Amino acid sequence: SSGINAEYGEDKSHIISESERQWKSKHCPYLDTIQRSILDFDFEKLCSISLSNLNIYACLVCGKYFQGRGKNTHAYTHSVHNNHHVYLNLHTLKFYCLPDNYEIVDAT
């Protein structure tokens, strides 16, 4: 299957099964892309595009802050356009992989 729903023209190729989501959450392939040396959390927690302070995620690859993580959000768009996948929710301090949208959990 191509992941395209011909009837509605929706691309569902980014949707993963629950078992795959659970495995990926413990074995995220993008953790080695995190750039610790450039991360600075002393900035005001505002989206670099919308300037909102609601639902802010830090991109752990480039250090920029973006709003949201669902489709059509600034963080999601950044993940797709820049191939940056690892984000930290600055309120909950939970880590996520975008655009697949699964929580990254410590496997140890």
Side-chain angles (χ1 to χ4, degrees):
S1 169
S2 68
I4 304 290
N5 181 331
E7 183 177 352
Y8 298 105
E10 297 175 20
D11 181 356
K12 304 235 181 218
S13 60
H14 67 282
I15 297 175
I16 61 176
S17 70
E18 184 58 30
S19 62
E20 185 179 3
R21 181 180 309 277
Q22 289 175 1
W23 187 88
K24 278 187 163 186
S25 73
K26 294 179 181 161
H27 304 90
C28 179
Y30 302 108
L31 295 180
D32 61 347
T33 66
I34 294 171
Q35 299 293 320
R36 290 182 179 191
S37 63
I38 65 167
L39 298 179
D40 183 352
F41 297 104
D42 290 333
F43 291 109
E44 192 172 1
K45 312 300 190 262
L46 297 176
C47 175
S48 60
I49 296 172
S50 70
L51 302 180
S52 172
N53 65 350
L54 301 174
N55 202 18
I56 302 302
Y57 290 80
C59 174
L60 299 183
V61 179
C62 68
K64 292 182 180 176
Y65 296 164
F66 298 98
Q67 187 173 22
R69 74 170 195 269
K71 200 167 186 179
N72 300 320
T73 64
H74 297 300
Y76 181 95
T77 301
H78 180 75
S79 74
V80 172
H81 289 166
N82 295 282
N83 207 27
H84 292 179
H85 299 285
V86 187
Y87 293 79
L88 171 64
N89 179 302
L90 295 174
H91 177 72
T92 66
L93 302 181
K94 291 183 178 183
F95 296 88
Y96 292 90
C97 181
L98 299 179
D100 290 343
N101 198 21
Y102 59 84
E103 183 180 355
I104 301 169
V105 294
D106 188 354
T108 58

